[in-house]
Structure formats: C-alpha cells, structure tokens
Amino acid sequence: MTMNLFNQFLSPTFLGLPLIAIALMAPCLLYPSPAPWWQSNRWTTLQNWFIGSFIKQILSPINTKGHSWALLLATLMVFLITLNTLGLLPYTFTPTTQLSLNMAFAVPLWLATVIMGFRNSPTHALGHLLPEGTPTPLVPILIIIESISLLIRPLALGARLTANLTAGHLLIQLVSSAAFSLLLSQTTAASLAVGLLLLLTILEIAVAMIQAYVFVLLLSLYLQENV
C-alpha cells in the first residue's frame, strides 16, 4: 500500500529515458513569446498585468541594484505555478515533487544572492552573522548558529515546496481511492468522499500557486538582505 501511494512520485520513463525533461518543457510550450506583429488579446493582456503586478510587489522593498533580478524572478514564478498546477491533472507527473529538482532551483539562486552580498558589501554581509550588542562570551556560539541558519536556507526552500506538494498529492490519492472503493457498497459515503475530493482539488490549486509565490518571495527577501 505504501509503495503504491508513493509510486506516483517516481519519474516516468519511456524506453529507459526519463520524461521529466518533457514535463519541464511544458511551460515553455504554453507561454510562447508574442511577436511584435501580434495583436494584443485578453490572454496576453491578463498575463502582462499579472507579471507586472507581481514584479512591482516583489521588487518594491528591494534596492535598485536588485531590480536586475526582475526577469529571473518573474520567469521562475510563472514556471513554478505552471509546473505545480499541471501536475494536478490526471495521469500527469509533477516535477516539483522531486526534492532534487527543487534544490537545483534553490541552491544556485540562494548562492548567487550570498555571493552578490559578499561582493558588494562584505562587511554588511558578515554583519548578519553577529547581531549588534552581542555579549562577548556568546559571540562564537551565535556565529555558529547564524552560519547554520544561513546554510540551511536553500534546504528549507526546496523542502518546503516538496513537502507541501507531496502532502497534497497523497491526500488526493487517499480520498480518491476511498471514494472508488465505497462507490458500490456505500453510495452516500462515496458521494461525501467525492465532495471532499473536489474541495481538496480546489485547495491544492491554491496551494500550488501559493507555494510558487512563497518560493520566489523568500528568494527576494534573501536578495534584499544582500543588495
């Protein structure tokens, strides 16, 4: 039973080749770049409004030096939202349930913010490791604690996204299995399970969007500390 529940998170293969690359290419196929001669329609207008509002909200507290990250953060946001929501479709695979993929997103971007901070203002970057006014006996301990908290940031980024999406997928599978098994024996209970399944699906759509936003928001906070 346990193996059946977690088999949905295995990367599918075809002729021995992993299909995760095709899943990662799906957002690129769904969001083609408009050509200059295209007429604006409701979809492109809504897309441009959403990206513009997101960029304004994310970059408003950040110094102008960090505004060069606008394109990267907006692209990552749309990419993660698309991957998370497409994974809720039947017979699909969600790449962002893989911790390795999320860490591949989190570690380089977090490391880039840290390197930027040490390059632009090393004194300010090192100052985060020791709060002002710390008693002398506590200095070594606080430096170790702050260093550990700094190093686990990318792990927290990747693990948060993986855990929330994995838990949602498991809940949906458990409730759908219960609804299917009760369909012939207990119709009333099966109907309640189907209603719960619909509510869970709506909740998971919201979670998929919120987790993508939280991932990018935390990256922007790390960027704000280092610019």
Side-chain angles (χ1 to χ4, degrees), residues 126-174:
L126 290 174
H128 290 299
L129 301 179
L130 186 63
E132 187 177 357
T134 304
T136 306
L138 296 179
V139 169
I141 299 176
L142 281 180
I143 290 178
I144 294 174
I145 293 175
E146 292 297 329
S147 300
I148 294 174
S149 67
L150 178 66
L151 294 175
I152 65 174
R153 282 181 174 181
L155 179 60
L157 271 179
R160 180 184 293 107
L161 182 59
T162 303
N164 282 281
L165 295 180
T166 302
H169 283 65
L170 287 175
L171 278 175
I172 288 177
Q173 182 171 357
L174 286 172

Side-chain angles (χ1 to χ4, degrees), residues 198-221:
L198 292 177
L199 293 177
L200 273 177
T201 303
I202 296 173
L203 177 63
E204 279 308 304
I205 293 174
V207 168
M209 297 181 179
I210 291 172
Q211 289 305 316
Y213 174 76
V214 169
F215 189 93
V216 179
L217 178 63
L218 290 176
L219 276 177
S220 68
L221 293 178

Side-chain angles (χ1 to χ4, degrees), residues 55-68:
I55 291 176
K56 287 180 182 179
Q57 182 178 5
I58 288 293
L59 297 183
S60 57
I62 300 179
N63 195 331
T64 53
K65 292 182 179 179
H67 289 185
S68 58

